[in-house]
Amino acid sequence: MTQSNQDGPRFEEAVDQLEALIEKVESGEVGLEEAMQHYEAGQALIKRCRAILDAAERKIAELTDTEDGRLVVDDEEDGPES
Amino acid sequence: MNMSRLPFESEPLEPTHDRPLSVSTLAQRIKAAVAAGLPGKLRVVGEVSNFSDRSHWFFSLKDESATLRCVMFASAARRAPSGIGNGVQVVASGRVDFYDAQGSVQLYVDEIAPVGRGDLEQRLRELMEELRQLGYFDAELKRALPALPRTVAVVTSRAAAALQDVINTAQQRWAGCRLLLKDVRVQGEAAAEEIAHAIRQISRHGRKLGIDAVILTRGGGSIEDLWAFNERVVADAIYECAIPVVAAIGHETDTTVAELVADLRCATPTQAAMTLIPDAATLHHQADQLHERLTLLIKRRIEHARQRVDAAGRSRLIARPDQMLAPVRERLERLTRQLDQAAGRRVVQGLSRVDALDRQLRSVSPVSVLQRGYSYTLGPDGQLIRSQTQAKPGDRLITVLVDGRVTSVVDGAASPPAPKLKSRKPRRRVQGQDTLFE
């Protein structure tokens, strides 16, 4: 199952947040202490982005229709999920 | 000679149960029957399909219910007009013969000419026009693709080479992308409905499953093979799909309705996967750049802050507070000097005045009077004797002189004072002691 949302923002959100805080710091509107806080937050976001990029999924799973008309992921096909 | 080589005339027209025909014999009979039953040259109208143009052309002509194999040899094919291909409605001229090596009746085409577009293409053109007018292809309705799709549904046949292309490409670009196959038939009568159902299901349930995008794909094939992707039901499903759809159907030259309705059309399954799934290495690089940018930015901020602190530190107030204080100090000193001077003058004035008063005081002191030879007498009670009436016989009197005291005893009665003296003394007393000490 997808774990992307459990440990933090999605990649796009992380990048958006990162760019937003960089712009904020660049604009010079924030004080030094706040800029340092943004820096810390930025480091965490970059770490998050890298973790997402380094993830590896199983090759492929299959979608199947259930009898009651739902769509489910058939996880019977096994593969490495590291 | 075996039985198959028996002359045609010697064979009975109807096969007998006791004497089976050889394949060759029957083939010859068919060949003869075809030749006898059909004119030597005929024209047939139909739609070209399964078109293969090596040096010789091989294709089929078909209509709603029948298909006829056709051959056009290179010499004839060279004379054929351009534009002949799958889906094209043509009139072919030639002869029909039975090709015994393959056991098939074929049309040997001498001439061929298109009669406008084939029926399928006509239908396709009409559908495209209708959908265009309905806005199905409008660029502004295309949904944006996710920058980094975590999960991608692949709608295709499990057996398709296209699926493997997508899997391989996804793995190469970003192994973190999860692929979910929705296995559907991609050709044949049921295909369109299956594909449409799959897309509707993904649209309905996909978000819950984390699906960010759909790849709808199929390898190359004839227009008939790809026809499912030209059906209205598929177009509707894609148009209404809540999740972005990338389509790569057939070869690059084929354009299906599904691809036009999709949010993005790609030439091949590989290209679809490449377009949708970003290259992790590139994103890593971007993350690095953002990191560098942020680090540089914060360093600059800190440097700027440090410079401000340094600049403040160099200011006269902080760096040379003595300089700032010097004028104040000078002024204070000046004032102090002024004060001292002023005070000094006052002291001198005061002292001289004290001296004057001292002299004045000394001049009136009883001591100075005594020095001049005067004395005074005190009675037994220590009171100054100012009158003879204060001294009775036997009283001990003390006379104070400039250099000491003399004690004496009164031994006689007081004599009446001289009238002059008596009259002067009280007057003096009234005026005070000043006169006595002058």
Side-chain angles (χ1 to χ4, degrees), chain B residues 91-125:
Chain B
V91 176
S93 305
R95 64 187 169 84
V96 175
D97 199 355
F98 182 74
Y99 180 31
D100 42 14
Q102 277 195 354
S104 63
V105 174
Q106 299 189 141
L107 179 67
Y108 291 83
V109 181
D110 301 322
E111 285 174 47
I112 191 167
V115 285
R117 316 287 287 211
D119 262 6
L120 282 177
E121 286 214 344
Q122 182 61 34
R123 272 170 57 196
L124 179 57
R125 214 171 45 189

PDB file of all heavy atoms in Angstrom, chain B residues 91-125:
ATOM      1  N   VAL B  91     -11.494   0.221 -55.057  1.00  0.00           N
ATOM      2  CA  VAL B  91     -12.006  -0.672 -56.098  1.00  0.00           C
ATOM      3  C   VAL B  91     -10.787  -1.380 -56.671  1.00  0.00           C
ATOM      4  O   VAL B  91      -9.849  -0.722 -57.141  1.00  0.00           O
ATOM      5  CB  VAL B  91     -12.733   0.098 -57.209  1.00  0.00           C
ATOM      6  CG1 VAL B  91     -13.154  -0.875 -58.334  1.00  0.00           C
ATOM      7  CG2 VAL B  91     -13.926   0.825 -56.647  1.00  0.00           C
ATOM      8  N   ALA B  92     -10.805  -2.711 -56.569  1.00  0.00           N
ATOM      9  CA  ALA B  92      -9.673  -3.485 -57.062  1.00  0.00           C
ATOM     10  C   ALA B  92     -10.130  -4.271 -58.295  1.00  0.00           C
ATOM     11  O   ALA B  92     -11.213  -4.848 -58.316  1.00  0.00           O
ATOM     12  CB  ALA B  92      -9.178  -4.433 -55.993  1.00  0.00           C
ATOM     13  N   SER B  93      -9.263  -4.274 -59.319  1.00  0.00           N
ATOM     14  CA  SER B  93      -9.583  -5.028 -60.538  1.00  0.00           C
ATOM     15  C   SER B  93      -8.608  -6.181 -60.656  1.00  0.00           C
ATOM     16  O   SER B  93      -7.407  -6.019 -60.371  1.00  0.00           O
ATOM     17  CB  SER B  93      -9.428  -4.135 -61.775  1.00  0.00           C
ATOM     18  OG  SER B  93     -10.224  -2.990 -61.606  1.00  0.00           O
ATOM     19  N   GLY B  94      -9.106  -7.351 -61.065  1.00  0.00           N
ATOM     20  CA  GLY B  94      -8.198  -8.475 -61.222  1.00  0.00           C
ATOM     21  C   GLY B  94      -8.972  -9.759 -61.462  1.00  0.00           C
ATOM     22  O   GLY B  94     -10.148  -9.716 -61.836  1.00  0.00           O
ATOM     23  N   ARG B  95      -8.295 -10.839 -61.214  1.00  0.00           N
ATOM     24  CA  ARG B  95      -8.964 -12.115 -61.402  1.00  0.00           C
ATOM     25  C   ARG B  95      -8.913 -12.867 -60.093  1.00  0.00           C
ATOM     26  O   ARG B  95      -7.986 -12.701 -59.291  1.00  0.00           O
ATOM     27  CB  ARG B  95      -8.283 -12.900 -62.521  1.00  0.00           C
ATOM     28  CG  ARG B  95      -6.851 -13.261 -62.180  1.00  0.00           C
ATOM     29  CD  ARG B  95      -6.093 -13.896 -63.326  1.00  0.00           C
ATOM     30  NE  ARG B  95      -4.674 -13.964 -62.961  1.00  0.00           N
ATOM     31  CZ  ARG B  95      -4.157 -14.955 -62.225  1.00  0.00           C
ATOM     32  NH1 ARG B  95      -4.901 -15.951 -61.818  1.00  0.00           N
ATOM     33  NH2 ARG B  95      -2.874 -14.940 -61.921  1.00  0.00           N
ATOM     34  N   VAL B  96      -9.892 -13.732 -59.937  1.00  0.00           N
ATOM     35  CA  VAL B  96      -9.941 -14.557 -58.745  1.00  0.00           C
ATOM     36  C   VAL B  96      -9.372 -15.912 -59.087  1.00  0.00           C
ATOM     37  O   VAL B  96      -9.679 -16.473 -60.140  1.00  0.00           O
ATOM     38  CB  VAL B  96     -11.384 -14.680 -58.223  1.00  0.00           C
ATOM     39  CG1 VAL B  96     -11.454 -15.651 -57.050  1.00  0.00           C
ATOM     40  CG2 VAL B  96     -11.913 -13.313 -57.813  1.00  0.00           C
ATOM     41  N   ASP B  97      -8.531 -16.412 -58.244  1.00  0.00           N
ATOM     42  CA  ASP B  97      -7.976 -17.733 -58.479  1.00  0.00           C
ATOM     43  C   ASP B  97      -7.820 -18.435 -57.140  1.00  0.00           C
ATOM     44  O   ASP B  97      -7.777 -17.791 -56.077  1.00  0.00           O
ATOM     45  CB  ASP B  97      -6.621 -17.601 -59.190  1.00  0.00           C
ATOM     46  CG  ASP B  97      -6.200 -18.902 -59.876  1.00  0.00           C
ATOM     47  OD1 ASP B  97      -6.936 -19.926 -59.707  1.00  0.00           O
ATOM     48  OD2 ASP B  97      -5.150 -18.899 -60.545  1.00  0.00           O
ATOM     49  N   PHE B  98      -7.755 -19.746 -57.244  1.00  0.00           N
ATOM     50  CA  PHE B  98      -7.526 -20.543 -56.059  1.00  0.00           C
ATOM     51  C   PHE B  98      -6.038 -20.813 -55.968  1.00  0.00           C
ATOM     52  O   PHE B  98      -5.431 -21.356 -56.878  1.00  0.00           O
ATOM     53  CB  PHE B  98      -8.314 -21.858 -56.156  1.00  0.00           C
ATOM     54  CG  PHE B  98      -8.154 -22.721 -54.944  1.00  0.00           C
ATOM     55  CD1 PHE B  98      -8.798 -22.398 -53.751  1.00  0.00           C
ATOM     56  CD2 PHE B  98      -7.353 -23.860 -54.975  1.00  0.00           C
ATOM     57  CE1 PHE B  98      -8.654 -23.195 -52.633  1.00  0.00           C
ATOM     58  CE2 PHE B  98      -7.205 -24.656 -53.850  1.00  0.00           C
ATOM     59  CZ  PHE B  98      -7.864 -24.318 -52.667  1.00  0.00           C
ATOM     60  N   TYR B  99      -5.449 -20.408 -54.852  1.00  0.00           N
ATOM     61  CA  TYR B  99      -4.016 -20.610 -54.672  1.00  0.00           C
ATOM     62  C   TYR B  99      -3.876 -21.901 -53.904  1.00  0.00           C
ATOM     63  O   TYR B  99      -4.075 -21.937 -52.686  1.00  0.00           O
ATOM     64  CB  TYR B  99      -3.423 -19.411 -53.923  1.00  0.00           C
ATOM     65  CG  TYR B  99      -1.943 -19.481 -53.650  1.00  0.00           C
ATOM     66  CD1 TYR B  99      -1.067 -20.151 -54.532  1.00  0.00           C
ATOM     67  CD2 TYR B  99      -1.407 -18.868 -52.537  1.00  0.00           C
ATOM     68  CE1 TYR B  99       0.285 -20.203 -54.277  1.00  0.00           C
ATOM     69  CE2 TYR B  99      -0.044 -18.909 -52.270  1.00  0.00           C
ATOM     70  CZ  TYR B  99       0.798 -19.584 -53.151  1.00  0.00           C
ATOM     71  OH  TYR B  99       2.149 -19.639 -52.896  1.00  0.00           O
ATOM     72  N   ASP B 100      -3.539 -22.952 -54.641  1.00  0.00           N
ATOM     73  CA  ASP B 100      -3.629 -24.267 -54.008  1.00  0.00           C
ATOM     74  C   ASP B 100      -2.571 -24.489 -52.921  1.00  0.00           C
ATOM     75  O   ASP B 100      -2.815 -25.199 -51.959  1.00  0.00           O
ATOM     76  CB  ASP B 100      -3.597 -25.398 -55.057  1.00  0.00           C
ATOM     77  CG  ASP B 100      -2.564 -25.145 -56.154  1.00  0.00           C
ATOM     78  OD1 ASP B 100      -1.716 -24.241 -55.950  1.00  0.00           O
ATOM     79  OD2 ASP B 100      -2.607 -25.826 -57.177  1.00  0.00           O
ATOM     80  N   ALA B 101      -1.437 -23.867 -53.059  1.00  0.00           N
ATOM     81  CA  ALA B 101      -0.407 -24.073 -52.028  1.00  0.00           C
ATOM     82  C   ALA B 101      -0.892 -23.609 -50.649  1.00  0.00           C
ATOM     83  O   ALA B 101      -0.509 -24.172 -49.634  1.00  0.00           O
ATOM     84  CB  ALA B 101       0.853 -23.320 -52.418  1.00  0.00           C
ATOM     85  N   GLN B 102      -1.743 -22.599 -50.632  1.00  0.00           N
ATOM     86  CA  GLN B 102      -2.252 -22.091 -49.348  1.00  0.00           C
ATOM     87  C   GLN B 102      -3.716 -22.447 -49.138  1.00  0.00           C
ATOM     88  O   GLN B 102      -4.274 -22.179 -48.082  1.00  0.00           O
ATOM     89  CB  GLN B 102      -2.094 -20.571 -49.279  1.00  0.00           C
ATOM     90  CG  GLN B 102      -0.696 -20.176 -48.839  1.00  0.00           C
ATOM     91  CD  GLN B 102      -0.622 -18.723 -48.417  1.00  0.00           C
ATOM     92  OE1 GLN B 102      -1.597 -17.997 -48.555  1.00  0.00           O
ATOM     93  NE2 GLN B 102       0.529 -18.330 -47.933  1.00  0.00           N
ATOM     94  N   GLY B 103      -4.326 -23.008 -50.178  1.00  0.00           N
ATOM     95  CA  GLY B 103      -5.723 -23.416 -50.052  1.00  0.00           C
ATOM     96  C   GLY B 103      -6.647 -22.246 -49.892  1.00  0.00           C
ATOM     97  O   GLY B 103      -7.616 -22.308 -49.150  1.00  0.00           O
ATOM     98  N   SER B 104      -6.318 -21.150 -50.549  1.00  0.00           N
ATOM     99  CA  SER B 104      -7.201 -20.007 -50.383  1.00  0.00           C
ATOM    100  C   SER B 104      -7.542 -19.379 -51.731  1.00  0.00           C
ATOM    101  O   SER B 104      -6.736 -19.418 -52.663  1.00  0.00           O
ATOM    102  CB  SER B 104      -6.517 -18.962 -49.494  1.00  0.00           C
ATOM    103  OG  SER B 104      -5.354 -18.495 -50.111  1.00  0.00           O
ATOM    104  N   VAL B 105      -8.749 -18.864 -51.767  1.00  0.00           N
ATOM    105  CA  VAL B 105      -9.172 -18.140 -52.954  1.00  0.00           C
ATOM    106  C   VAL B 105      -8.700 -16.706 -52.801  1.00  0.00           C
ATOM    107  O   VAL B 105      -8.897 -16.079 -51.754  1.00  0.00           O
ATOM    108  CB  VAL B 105     -10.706 -18.184 -53.097  1.00  0.00           C
ATOM    109  CG1 VAL B 105     -11.160 -17.306 -54.259  1.00  0.00           C
ATOM    110  CG2 VAL B 105     -11.181 -19.609 -53.302  1.00  0.00           C
ATOM    111  N   GLN B 106      -8.029 -16.225 -53.799  1.00  0.00           N
ATOM    112  CA  GLN B 106      -7.459 -14.882 -53.692  1.00  0.00           C
ATOM    113  C   GLN B 106      -7.825 -14.055 -54.910  1.00  0.00           C
ATOM    114  O   GLN B 106      -8.042 -14.591 -55.992  1.00  0.00           O
ATOM    115  CB  GLN B 106      -5.932 -14.949 -53.606  1.00  0.00           C
ATOM    116  CG  GLN B 106      -5.428 -15.695 -52.406  1.00  0.00           C
ATOM    117  CD  GLN B 106      -3.918 -15.566 -52.236  1.00  0.00           C
ATOM    118  OE1 GLN B 106      -3.426 -15.448 -51.158  1.00  0.00           O
ATOM    119  NE2 GLN B 106      -3.204 -15.631 -53.340  1.00  0.00           N
ATOM    120  N   LEU B 107      -7.825 -12.753 -54.661  1.00  0.00           N
ATOM    121  CA  LEU B 107      -8.003 -11.830 -55.769  1.00  0.00           C
ATOM    122  C   LEU B 107      -6.614 -11.351 -56.185  1.00  0.00           C
ATOM    123  O   LEU B 107      -5.869 -10.792 -55.364  1.00  0.00           O
ATOM    124  CB  LEU B 107      -8.869 -10.638 -55.333  1.00  0.00           C
ATOM    125  CG  LEU B 107      -9.125  -9.564 -56.383  1.00  0.00           C
ATOM    126  CD1 LEU B 107     -10.004 -10.116 -57.533  1.00  0.00           C
ATOM    127  CD2 LEU B 107      -9.797  -8.342 -55.760  1.00  0.00           C
ATOM    128  N   TYR B 108      -6.264 -11.631 -57.437  1.00  0.00           N
ATOM    129  CA  TYR B 108      -4.990 -11.155 -57.958  1.00  0.00           C
ATOM    130  C   TYR B 108      -5.253  -9.810 -58.600  1.00  0.00           C
ATOM    131  O   TYR B 108      -5.884  -9.726 -59.642  1.00  0.00           O
ATOM    132  CB  TYR B 108      -4.411 -12.161 -58.945  1.00  0.00           C
ATOM    133  CG  TYR B 108      -3.987 -13.432 -58.232  1.00  0.00           C
ATOM    134  CD1 TYR B 108      -4.930 -14.425 -57.944  1.00  0.00           C
ATOM    135  CD2 TYR B 108      -2.679 -13.620 -57.837  1.00  0.00           C
ATOM    136  CE1 TYR B 108      -4.548 -15.573 -57.260  1.00  0.00           C
ATOM    137  CE2 TYR B 108      -2.293 -14.767 -57.162  1.00  0.00           C
ATOM    138  CZ  TYR B 108      -3.236 -15.748 -56.872  1.00  0.00           C
ATOM    139  OH  TYR B 108      -2.860 -16.869 -56.184  1.00  0.00           O
ATOM    140  N   VAL B 109      -4.783  -8.779 -57.916  1.00  0.00           N
ATOM    141  CA  VAL B 109      -5.178  -7.419 -58.289  1.00  0.00           C
ATOM    142  C   VAL B 109      -4.207  -6.865 -59.333  1.00  0.00           C
ATOM    143  O   VAL B 109      -2.984  -6.895 -59.144  1.00  0.00           O
ATOM    144  CB  VAL B 109      -5.210  -6.500 -57.052  1.00  0.00           C
ATOM    145  CG1 VAL B 109      -5.640  -5.096 -57.441  1.00  0.00           C
ATOM    146  CG2 VAL B 109      -6.131  -7.069 -55.975  1.00  0.00           C
ATOM    147  N   ASP B 110      -4.763  -6.369 -60.440  1.00  0.00           N
ATOM    148  CA  ASP B 110      -3.956  -5.681 -61.443  1.00  0.00           C
ATOM    149  C   ASP B 110      -3.974  -4.180 -61.214  1.00  0.00           C
ATOM    150  O   ASP B 110      -2.979  -3.491 -61.407  1.00  0.00           O
ATOM    151  CB  ASP B 110      -4.498  -5.962 -62.853  1.00  0.00           C
ATOM    152  CG  ASP B 110      -4.502  -7.450 -63.160  1.00  0.00           C
ATOM    153  OD1 ASP B 110      -3.536  -8.126 -62.745  1.00  0.00           O
ATOM    154  OD2 ASP B 110      -5.475  -7.929 -63.772  1.00  0.00           O
ATOM    155  N   GLU B 111      -5.157  -3.706 -60.855  1.00  0.00           N
ATOM    156  CA  GLU B 111      -5.314  -2.263 -60.648  1.00  0.00           C
ATOM    157  C   GLU B 111      -6.066  -2.019 -59.355  1.00  0.00           C
ATOM    158  O   GLU B 111      -6.931  -2.813 -58.975  1.00  0.00           O
ATOM    159  CB  GLU B 111      -6.119  -1.658 -61.809  1.00  0.00           C
ATOM    160  CG  GLU B 111      -5.347  -1.525 -63.102  1.00  0.00           C
ATOM    161  CD  GLU B 111      -6.265  -1.052 -64.223  1.00  0.00           C
ATOM    162  OE1 GLU B 111      -7.023  -0.080 -63.975  1.00  0.00           O
ATOM    163  OE2 GLU B 111      -6.245  -1.655 -65.293  1.00  0.00           O
ATOM    164  N   ILE B 112      -5.752  -0.917 -58.781  1.00  0.00           N
ATOM    165  CA  ILE B 112      -6.453  -0.580 -57.528  1.00  0.00           C
ATOM    166  C   ILE B 112      -6.655   0.926 -57.486  1.00  0.00           C
ATOM    167  O   ILE B 112      -5.797   1.700 -57.944  1.00  0.00           O
ATOM    168  CB  ILE B 112      -5.654  -1.084 -56.303  1.00  0.00           C
ATOM    169  CG1 ILE B 112      -6.506  -0.992 -55.024  1.00  0.00           C
ATOM    170  CG2 ILE B 112      -4.341  -0.321 -56.126  1.00  0.00           C
ATOM    171  CD1 ILE B 112      -5.927  -1.746 -53.854  1.00  0.00           C
ATOM    172  N   ALA B 113      -7.763   1.371 -56.942  1.00  0.00           N
ATOM    173  CA  ALA B 113      -8.027   2.808 -56.835  1.00  0.00           C
ATOM    174  C   ALA B 113      -8.895   3.066 -55.614  1.00  0.00           C
ATOM    175  O   ALA B 113      -9.835   2.320 -55.354  1.00  0.00           O
ATOM    176  CB  ALA B 113      -8.735   3.301 -58.086  1.00  0.00           C
ATOM    177  N   PRO B 114      -8.532   4.056 -54.857  1.00  0.00           N
ATOM    178  CA  PRO B 114      -9.347   4.349 -53.674  1.00  0.00           C
ATOM    179  C   PRO B 114     -10.699   4.939 -54.061  1.00  0.00           C
ATOM    180  O   PRO B 114     -10.801   5.673 -55.031  1.00  0.00           O
ATOM    181  CB  PRO B 114      -8.506   5.359 -52.905  1.00  0.00           C
ATOM    182  CG  PRO B 114      -7.578   5.967 -53.897  1.00  0.00           C
ATOM    183  CD  PRO B 114      -7.395   4.978 -55.018  1.00  0.00           C
ATOM    184  N   VAL B 115     -11.715   4.594 -53.302  1.00  0.00           N
ATOM    185  CA  VAL B 115     -13.013   5.247 -53.496  1.00  0.00           C
ATOM    186  C   VAL B 115     -13.317   6.044 -52.226  1.00  0.00           C
ATOM    187  O   VAL B 115     -14.160   5.681 -51.427  1.00  0.00           O
ATOM    188  CB  VAL B 115     -14.150   4.232 -53.767  1.00  0.00           C
ATOM    189  CG1 VAL B 115     -14.041   3.697 -55.173  1.00  0.00           C
ATOM    190  CG2 VAL B 115     -14.121   3.092 -52.768  1.00  0.00           C
ATOM    191  N   GLY B 116     -12.556   7.101 -52.057  1.00  0.00           N
ATOM    192  CA  GLY B 116     -12.755   7.876 -50.832  1.00  0.00           C
ATOM    193  C   GLY B 116     -12.232   7.073 -49.650  1.00  0.00           C
ATOM    194  O   GLY B 116     -11.543   6.084 -49.802  1.00  0.00           O
ATOM    195  N   ARG B 117     -12.552   7.523 -48.435  1.00  0.00           N
ATOM    196  CA  ARG B 117     -12.067   6.828 -47.247  1.00  0.00           C
ATOM    197  C   ARG B 117     -12.894   5.580 -47.002  1.00  0.00           C
ATOM    198  O   ARG B 117     -14.038   5.476 -47.417  1.00  0.00           O
ATOM    199  CB  ARG B 117     -12.195   7.753 -46.029  1.00  0.00           C
ATOM    200  CG  ARG B 117     -11.739   9.167 -46.278  1.00  0.00           C
ATOM    201  CD  ARG B 117     -10.261   9.255 -46.370  1.00  0.00           C
ATOM    202  NE  ARG B 117      -9.668   9.092 -45.040  1.00  0.00           N
ATOM    203  CZ  ARG B 117      -8.534   9.683 -44.698  1.00  0.00           C
ATOM    204  NH1 ARG B 117      -7.909  10.457 -45.542  1.00  0.00           N
ATOM    205  NH2 ARG B 117      -8.034   9.508 -43.492  1.00  0.00           N
ATOM    206  N   GLY B 118     -12.305   4.675 -46.282  1.00  0.00           N
ATOM    207  CA  GLY B 118     -13.050   3.494 -45.913  1.00  0.00           C
ATOM    208  C   GLY B 118     -14.143   3.851 -44.921  1.00  0.00           C
ATOM    209  O   GLY B 118     -14.124   4.934 -44.328  1.00  0.00           O
ATOM    210  N   ASP B 119     -15.054   2.937 -44.739  1.00  0.00           N
ATOM    211  CA  ASP B 119     -16.171   3.160 -43.827  1.00  0.00           C
ATOM    212  C   ASP B 119     -15.714   3.471 -42.400  1.00  0.00           C
ATOM    213  O   ASP B 119     -16.209   4.390 -41.765  1.00  0.00           O
ATOM    214  CB  ASP B 119     -17.053   1.914 -43.796  1.00  0.00           C
ATOM    215  CG  ASP B 119     -18.238   2.100 -44.707  1.00  0.00           C
ATOM    216  OD1 ASP B 119     -18.270   3.133 -45.399  1.00  0.00           O
ATOM    217  OD2 ASP B 119     -19.097   1.213 -44.720  1.00  0.00           O
ATOM    218  N   LEU B 120     -14.724   2.662 -41.943  1.00  0.00           N
ATOM    219  CA  LEU B 120     -14.257   2.855 -40.562  1.00  0.00           C
ATOM    220  C   LEU B 120     -13.659   4.250 -40.407  1.00  0.00           C
ATOM    221  O   LEU B 120     -13.931   4.946 -39.428  1.00  0.00           O
ATOM    222  CB  LEU B 120     -13.202   1.807 -40.196  1.00  0.00           C
ATOM    223  CG  LEU B 120     -13.731   0.411 -39.864  1.00  0.00           C
ATOM    224  CD1 LEU B 120     -12.572  -0.539 -39.607  1.00  0.00           C
ATOM    225  CD2 LEU B 120     -14.653   0.458 -38.651  1.00  0.00           C
ATOM    226  N   GLU B 121     -12.870   4.633 -41.385  1.00  0.00           N
ATOM    227  CA  GLU B 121     -12.250   5.955 -41.294  1.00  0.00           C
ATOM    228  C   GLU B 121     -13.295   7.044 -41.356  1.00  0.00           C
ATOM    229  O   GLU B 121     -13.177   8.076 -40.691  1.00  0.00           O
ATOM    230  CB  GLU B 121     -11.214   6.125 -42.403  1.00  0.00           C
ATOM    231  CG  GLU B 121      -9.972   5.311 -42.112  1.00  0.00           C
ATOM    232  CD  GLU B 121      -8.704   5.973 -42.610  1.00  0.00           C
ATOM    233  OE1 GLU B 121      -8.822   6.895 -43.446  1.00  0.00           O
ATOM    234  OE2 GLU B 121      -7.625   5.576 -42.166  1.00  0.00           O
ATOM    235  N   GLN B 122     -14.314   6.789 -42.160  1.00  0.00           N
ATOM    236  CA  GLN B 122     -15.402   7.755 -42.253  1.00  0.00           C
ATOM    237  C   GLN B 122     -16.087   7.917 -40.895  1.00  0.00           C
ATOM    238  O   GLN B 122     -16.309   9.024 -40.416  1.00  0.00           O
ATOM    239  CB  GLN B 122     -16.416   7.282 -43.305  1.00  0.00           C
ATOM    240  CG  GLN B 122     -17.585   8.231 -43.535  1.00  0.00           C
ATOM    241  CD  GLN B 122     -17.111   9.597 -44.031  1.00  0.00           C
ATOM    242  OE1 GLN B 122     -16.122   9.693 -44.764  1.00  0.00           O
ATOM    243  NE2 GLN B 122     -17.802  10.648 -43.605  1.00  0.00           N
ATOM    244  N   ARG B 123     -16.364   6.763 -40.286  1.00  0.00           N
ATOM    245  CA  ARG B 123     -17.008   6.794 -38.962  1.00  0.00           C
ATOM    246  C   ARG B 123     -16.115   7.499 -37.952  1.00  0.00           C
ATOM    247  O   ARG B 123     -16.566   8.284 -37.126  1.00  0.00           O
ATOM    248  CB  ARG B 123     -17.295   5.366 -38.495  1.00  0.00           C
ATOM    249  CG  ARG B 123     -18.635   4.859 -38.960  1.00  0.00           C
ATOM    250  CD  ARG B 123     -18.776   3.384 -38.700  1.00  0.00           C
ATOM    251  NE  ARG B 123     -18.587   3.041 -37.295  1.00  0.00           N
ATOM    252  CZ  ARG B 123     -18.357   1.799 -36.871  1.00  0.00           C
ATOM    253  NH1 ARG B 123     -18.270   0.805 -37.737  1.00  0.00           N
ATOM    254  NH2 ARG B 123     -18.213   1.547 -35.590  1.00  0.00           N
ATOM    255  N   LEU B 124     -14.820   7.177 -38.063  1.00  0.00           N
ATOM    256  CA  LEU B 124     -13.860   7.779 -37.138  1.00  0.00           C
ATOM    257  C   LEU B 124     -13.839   9.294 -37.299  1.00  0.00           C
ATOM    258  O   LEU B 124     -13.868  10.049 -36.321  1.00  0.00           O
ATOM    259  CB  LEU B 124     -12.470   7.189 -37.405  1.00  0.00           C
ATOM    260  CG  LEU B 124     -11.322   7.720 -36.551  1.00  0.00           C
ATOM    261  CD1 LEU B 124     -11.621   7.533 -35.074  1.00  0.00           C
ATOM    262  CD2 LEU B 124     -10.017   7.024 -36.912  1.00  0.00           C
ATOM    263  N   ARG B 125     -13.850   9.701 -38.570  1.00  0.00           N
ATOM    264  CA  ARG B 125     -13.797  11.140 -38.831  1.00  0.00           C
ATOM    265  C   ARG B 125     -15.038  11.829 -38.275  1.00  0.00           C
ATOM    266  O   ARG B 125     -14.966  12.909 -37.685  1.00  0.00           O
ATOM    267  CB  ARG B 125     -13.672  11.382 -40.328  1.00  0.00           C
ATOM    268  CG  ARG B 125     -12.844  12.599 -40.659  1.00  0.00           C
ATOM    269  CD  ARG B 125     -12.571  12.671 -42.128  1.00  0.00           C
ATOM    270  NE  ARG B 125     -13.796  12.390 -42.899  1.00  0.00           N
ATOM    271  CZ  ARG B 125     -13.803  12.213 -44.219  1.00  0.00           C
ATOM    272  NH1 ARG B 125     -12.683  12.285 -44.899  1.00  0.00           N
ATOM    273  NH2 ARG B 125     -14.917  11.975 -44.851  1.00  0.00           N
TER     274      ARG B 125
END
